[in-house]
Amino acid sequence: MATKIRLQRGGRKGYAVYRIVAADVRAPRDGRFIEKIGMYNPNTNPATVELNFERALYWVEVGAQPTDTVRNILSREGVYLMKHLRGGVKKGAFDEAAAQAKFDAWKQAKEKGLEAVREGEAKAKKEAAAKSLAAEKQVNEAIAKKVADKKAAAVAAAEAEAAPAEEAPAEA
């Protein structure tokens, strides 16, 4: 039986959420599957992936062929790196502890990179909010100046009307 690791669509219209499943090649996309090994939500930034790492590694090692998107997801999560490291252990290039140490180092570097991206996005969001607040303050100041000018003009006009009225009784 040929097995494929693929995405199975879920969620509502315009907001797709996918299950990562191991399925028979002949089964339809949203049809019958052998095992659910994770979830993929492309709507978040960065995309959210919940993966049963051990089961995904098992299916890749027994020869299940992932689709292109799933291959990219598994690669980003380190499944293919771990498969590669286990191959090195089987060949005797290094032991299991060294393989795990290499994988942990890669995972920490990846987490640092993701944290940097999140911080950058938060900083950009904060700067955009500050910029829009400054623009709003400028607009409010311009409106306040116009209102003050209008009031000053109204007061001046009222004084100008009051001055000739005061002069007329004084002349009489």
Side-chain angles (χ1 to χ4, degrees):
M1 171 173 79
T3 310
K4 205 147 183 71
I5 303 174
R6 71 172 91 187
L7 297 176
Q8 191 175 47
R9 193 181 194 285
R12 68 176 191 266
K13 181 178 177 181
Y15 193 86
V17 178
Y18 299 92
R19 285 189 272 185
I20 302 170
V21 298
D24 189 331
V25 173
R26 298 166 293 185
R29 179 190 74 175
D30 296 336
R32 192 168 172 175
F33 60 92
I34 300 168
E35 180 181 4
K36 176 185 166 191
I37 58 175
M39 291 289 291
Y40 169 62
N41 184 357
N43 301 306
T44 60
N45 189 10
T48 306
V49 176
E50 298 169 16
L51 188 67
N52 184 339
F53 189 84
E54 292 301 319
R55 293 307 293 170
L57 184 61
Y58 165 78
W59 282 110
V60 169
E61 286 181 339
V62 297
Q65 293 297 312
T67 60
D68 293 338
T69 305
V70 174
R71 182 179 294 113
N72 289 335
I73 292 169
L74 296 178
S75 178
R76 270 183 274 158
E77 292 298 312
V79 172
Y80 278 103
L81 176 63
M82 184 54 90
K83 179 185 177 198
H84 175 72
L85 292 173
R86 281 190 176 180
V89 169
K90 287 178 186 173
K91 291 178 183 175
F94 42 83
D95 63 342
E96 184 70 35
Q100 190 62 41
K102 286 182 180 184
F103 182 76
D104 291 339
W106 173 84
K107 195 74 166 172
Q108 287 178 350
K110 181 182 177 240
E111 288 298 324
K112 283 183 184 176
L114 284 176
E115 188 61 35
V117 168
R118 286 187 195 112
E119 287 175 3
E121 287 176 0
K123 184 178 177 184
K125 193 174 183 181
K126 193 179 280 187
E127 288 175 358
K131 190 181 279 187
S132 70
L133 183 62
E136 188 176 339
K137 282 183 180 179
Q138 276 186 331
V139 168
N140 287 344
E141 287 172 1
I143 291 172
K145 185 178 179 187
K146 284 182 183 178
V147 168
D149 290 344
K150 241 184 194 179
K151 283 185 179 179
V155 168
E159 287 176 1
E161 287 177 13
E166 289 176 6
E167 290 176 12
E171 291 176 4

